[in-house]
Amino acid sequence: MIELIDICRDYIMGDSTVKALDQVNLKIEKGEFIAIMGASGSGKSTLMNILGCLDRPDCGTYLLDGIDIRDKTENELAEIRNKKIGFVFQSFNLIPRTSALKNVELPMIYAKKDATQRTKKAMEILGSLNLGDRAKHMPSELSGGQRQRVAIARALANDPDIILADEPTGNLDSKSSLEIMEIMKALNSEGRTVIIVTHEHDIADYANRTITFRDGRVISDVLRDDALKGDA
Ligand SMILES: Nc1ncnc2c1ncn2[C@@H]1O[C@H](COP(=O)(O)OP(=O)(O)O)[C@@H](O)[C@H]1O
Ligand SMILES: [Mg+2]
């Protein structure tokens, strides 16, 4: 469902060029649970931005469900993003002074879903993440773990096939981190493709496949059949 062929992404800084991604080839099947690892600056976020159609490669081909994203206009890419992909970030990226409920409704507003339906759906998702009693709260009134769960609820608003999470537990204590990973595991069990960036091996252990980057290249790609399946 995801295929990257000889992908590169260069950043030109004055008269030097940083090869953030350097000839990356990857195939990711629907329903995989993948951890992306590698030192800071190795290209992980650049990869996630390209996978999520937030950025375009400078060379190579990205096929998403067989569609070459190079042929798409910005508006078409925005539509693909909104429909197929849910993003979760390290710093939650919730809209401040806006209730949890409204934050979760936002992607459905962009998708032109009607108001009654979107409130109902947002409440359902918040309820499924144990946030039913927090719907009216502002992000500033929530703990880090709760904010990240609201962010996950927002990512799920349009029922995406793919969840992209860039260091989703990077700002959380270990208990909240494990809660977030249990949610990721459940989303994967529902058949969604889950791709997370992490520095921590105990977080990566939830995944079935670990891809490690160095200097914009894949240096290892390991499948594991002993990923954490039981309850943590
Ligand atoms: N917007 C940008 N402008 C210039 N250089 C960038 C930009 N984004 C990333 N880079 C550079 O590209 C490389 C990869 O960055 P990034 O993908 O953010 O790494 P990671 O997420 O693994 O820490 C780094 O050398 C970084 O400095
Ligand atoms: Mg990063």
Side-chain angles (χ1 to χ4, degrees), residues 169-170 172-182 200 203:
T169 65
L172 300 179
D173 59 63
S174 55
K175 181 170 171 282
S176 308
S177 297
L178 294 182
E179 277 172 21
I180 295 302
M181 292 312 296
E182 288 297 322
E200 292 164 75
I203 298 295

Side-chain angles (χ1 to χ4, degrees), residues 11 13 18-20 38-47 166-167 197:
Y11 289 111
M13 304 291 287
V18 176
K19 292 185 170 194
S40 181
S42 59
K44 305 181 298 296
S45 294
T46 304
L47 174 81
D166 195 346
E167 305 198 40
V197 171

Side-chain angles (χ1 to χ4, degrees), residues 123-189:
M123 283 307 299
E124 267 171 33
I125 303 171
L126 285 168
S128 73
L129 296 173
N130 283 324
L131 289 165
D133 58 348
R134 294 289 182 274
K136 296 279 161 59
H137 286 60
M138 303 297 151
S140 60
E141 300 166 333
L142 301 171
S143 71
Q146 289 170 336
R147 288 182 206 184
Q148 196 58 301
R149 278 185 283 141
V150 173
I152 293 172
R154 179 183 57 187
L156 292 172
N158 292 325
D159 204 17
D161 290 335
I162 304 171
I163 304 288
L164 298 177
D166 195 346
E167 305 198 40
T169 65
N171 283 340
L172 300 179
D173 59 63
S174 55
K175 181 170 171 282
S176 308
S177 297
L178 294 182
E179 277 172 21
I180 295 302
M181 292 312 296
E182 288 297 322
I183 294 168
M184 292 293 170
K185 190 170 78 180
L187 297 176
N188 177 246
S189 307

Side-chain angles (χ1 to χ4, degrees), residues 86-89 92-95 103-107 125 129 149-158:
F87 291 96
V88 180
F89 301 95
F92 322 128
N93 294 13
L94 297 173
I95 314 278
N103 267 280
V104 177
E105 284 190 36
L106 204 59
I125 303 171
L129 296 173
R149 278 185 283 141
V150 173
I152 293 172
R154 179 183 57 187
L156 292 172
N158 292 325

